Amino acid sequence: MAERRPIVGGNWKMNTTRAGAKQLCDSVLRGFTERKIDTEVVLYPPYLWLTDAGDLINASSIKLGAQDGLTEENGAITGGINLTMLSEVIDALLIGHSERRNIFNETADKFSRQLIAASDLGLLRTYCVGEDHTQQETGSTYEVLAEQIGSVFAGEEGEQLSHSIDSNPPSFVIAYEPVWAIGTGLVAQPNDVQDRAEFIRAEISKYCDVSDLIRIQYGGSVNQKNADELAALTDIDGALVGGASLNAEEFLAICEAFSTNSR
Ligand code: PEP
């Protein structure tokens, strides 16, 4: 079977104070070292705490990610933060999260630009896909996943994206996150998660030669109780964690469940 190093992300969203963020980083860092966790770990704090977090985790293998970033060049965009600026601080970028799609009405157009710009800047890219409640109820999950994947591989930029993935498979991660499971306490059935991950891998193989090497995370109310079951799934290589990543002990337990030491 293809080697895919497990990867767990902690998406803090719009949470934490500055002091709280530093404390969380510190606790994750300490536990990560003490428990000898063998999982790639990425923390996504709010923009404002990125440099504080970076100062704390810099000497470790824990990566730092941004939850969003503009692809526009420096210039007249009041309030904007672009990937060129961010790349001085971060290692990774979250792209296409359902909250960006739904709250900010962002679409594939932005996501494909982010996927390419992030690759040019040497960043790890995690692209989030997943069906919402209505789409699940009406049986259109697979159609939605195919569209969300296909849309970023369309056109000339799509070819560039395929090339960037084929030349560096670990730099591209897909997070399968059923929107109805995010922050709700509802978790998709493990056999459904496995089926959807297999489907996602097959879709990726239409655009890339290395789909076997692409890591797929599950996201949606992952916690320390359900992590083992998810970690046991053949096509799931990690988790994207929201709420539970705000608690260091819980987050570390999830990282441990996905750790190569315990699989
Ligand atoms: C997320 O926002 O990506 C997420 C999975 O959140 P939660 O773990 O809280 O469901």
Side-chain angles (χ1 to χ4, degrees):
M1 199 184 69
E3 270 298 307
R4 299 187 299 263
R5 179 161 158 71
I7 176 163
V8 177
N11 177 12
W12 296 3
K13 308 192 187 186
M14 199 170 70
N15 290 299
T16 65
T17 58
R18 186 178 185 186
K22 286 191 199 176
Q23 200 176 357
L24 185 51
C25 263
D26 198 47
S27 306
V28 170
L29 181 58
R30 241 177 311 117
F32 181 78
T33 315
E34 275 164 22
R35 297 180 189 213
K36 299 193 173 62
I37 288 171
D38 188 16
T39 311
E40 198 168 342
V41 172
V42 189
L43 300 181
Y44 299 92
Y47 282 140
L48 272 174
W49 321 142
L50 279 171
T51 48
D52 288 316
D55 287 346
L56 287 164
I57 62 175
N58 240 345
S60 76
S61 63
I62 297 178
K63 292 191 164 71
L64 187 64
Q67 300 170 21
D68 183 46
L70 298 178
T71 54
E72 284 77 5
E73 296 295 321
N74 288 1
I77 302 184
T78 302
I81 297 180
N82 68 16
L83 292 181
T84 313
M85 295 167 180
L86 285 165
S87 67
E88 294 198 29
V89 184
I90 61 169
D91 315 291
L93 179 70
L94 211 51
I95 297 169
H97 193 280
S98 63
E99 287 151 19
R100 300 300 312 180
R101 294 177 192 265
N102 298 331
I103 302 172
F104 297 96
N105 295 322
E106 292 178 357
T107 59
D109 182 45
K110 175 174 176 180
F111 308 146
S112 56
R113 277 186 281 115
Q114 286 179 312
L115 284 161
I116 291 168
S119 162
D120 290 346
L121 291 163
L123 303 174
L124 172 76
R125 307 156 281 176
T126 298
Y127 180 52
C128 306
V129 297
E131 79 286 2
D132 66 22
H133 179 67
T134 311
Q135 291 160 339
Q136 192 219 16
E137 288 295 295
T138 53
S140 50
T141 295
Y142 293 104
E143 215 175 293
V144 169
L145 295 176
E147 195 281 325
Q148 289 173 340
I149 293 166
S151 58
V152 294
F153 284 101
E156 227 173 86
E157 284 186 339
E159 270 175 45
Q160 236 178 299
L161 177 59
S162 301
H163 177 72
S164 73
I165 295 170
D166 283 336
S167 58
N168 187 4
S171 73
F172 178 72
V173 175
I174 287 263
Y176 168 56
E177 301 203 297
V179 182
W180 52 267
I182 296 179
T184 58
L186 301 170
V187 186
Q189 289 300 314
N191 54 330
D192 286 343
V193 176
Q194 172 57 26
D195 282 355
R196 274 132 216 203
E198 264 177 53
F199 177 81
I200 287 167
R201 202 174 295 291
E203 285 300 299
I204 297 286
S205 74
K206 293 181 183 169
Y207 309 100
C208 303
D209 299 330
V210 293
S211 63
D212 277 358
L213 299 175
I214 301 303
R215 293 171 294 175
I216 301 177
Q217 295 174 315
Y218 168 78
S221 298
V222 177
N223 58 36
Q224 60 183 336
K225 293 203 187 88
N226 55 35
D228 281 332
E229 204 172 9
L230 293 161
L233 300 173
T234 317
D235 278 281
I236 290 296
D237 311 302
L240 184 56
V241 187
S245 71
L246 296 170
N247 177 310
E249 279 307 304
E250 178 107 24
F251 182 65
L252 289 162
I254 296 167
C255 294
E256 216 161 29
F258 282 95
S259 201
T260 44
N261 311 332
S262 59
R263 272 151 71 97

